[in-house]
Amino acid sequence: MLNLVTQKRDLPQGILLRGLQPISGIDSMEKNRSQTGFNLSNGPGKLTQTLGITSKQLNLASIFDSALTMKIQRSKIPRRIMSSPRIHVSKRGTWTDKQLRFYVSGNPYVSEMNKSNIDYKNYGWI
């Protein structure tokens, strides 16, 4: 899994990335996973394999000081953002059914996306 902490230390807020729609570096990603297409990175384990993250070396590393970098160079506008309870999470009291999972509707790189809901033309983007 790839978790990004979004607040200062001792403020437990973050983002769990469960999937990735590749736009560059696809050849390397395919070599890392020996997969192609939507199955390349549509789940948390697949995502880390695709990115070549094979150890806990990034644990507690600052995004500003680690080997992992993020650059927002392009932006796409989602046609619709959906929310749902988290998937594959054991019962955790009142948090179990909270709408804490957000994703682009119709995007095939979203884990557990029903094939009948996939937007094969634009992948959910405008």
Side-chain angles (χ1 to χ4, degrees):
M1 283 188 215
L2 183 56
N3 293 299
L4 301 177
V5 176
T6 60
Q7 296 295 323
K8 295 178 184 177
R9 188 178 216 71
D10 298 324
L11 290 173
Q13 297 178 31
I15 300 169
L16 165 62
L17 298 179
R18 291 190 55 91
L20 169 77
Q21 180 180 334
I23 58 170
S24 65
I26 296 171
D27 289 341
S28 295
M29 292 177 185
E30 289 174 346
K31 287 178 187 172
N32 289 342
R33 277 254 318 132
S34 299
Q35 292 283 331
T36 61
F38 308 138
N39 200 36
L40 182 63
S41 55
N42 65 343
K46 296 174 186 180
L47 171 64
T48 53
Q49 287 178 339
T50 294
L51 294 178
I53 300 172
T54 58
S55 71
K56 295 181 180 180
Q57 68 191 36
L58 295 174
N59 281 7
L60 304 176
S62 167
I63 192 77
F64 303 108
D65 302 324
S66 75
L68 177 66
T69 60
M70 293 188 165
K71 297 177 184 175
I72 300 174
Q73 296 176 325
R74 303 179 194 183
S75 65
K76 292 186 174 191
I77 300 170
R79 183 170 308 283
R80 185 172 179 200
I81 297 174
M82 301 294 291
S83 67
S84 72
R86 296 174 296 169
I87 57 174
H88 303 296
V89 174
S90 60
K91 298 294 182 189
R92 298 287 183 216
T94 59
W95 288 99
T96 303
D97 297 319
K98 300 279 187 200
Q99 302 283 308
L100 296 173
R101 179 176 184 249
F102 300 93
Y103 58 93
V104 175
S105 178
N107 191 292
Y109 291 97
V110 173
S111 57
E112 303 285 328
M113 175 62 68
N114 187 324
K115 288 184 180 182
S116 65
N117 294 331
I118 293 176
D119 170 5
Y120 289 99
K121 183 177 179 184
N122 297 310
Y123 299 163
W125 305 104
I126 293 177

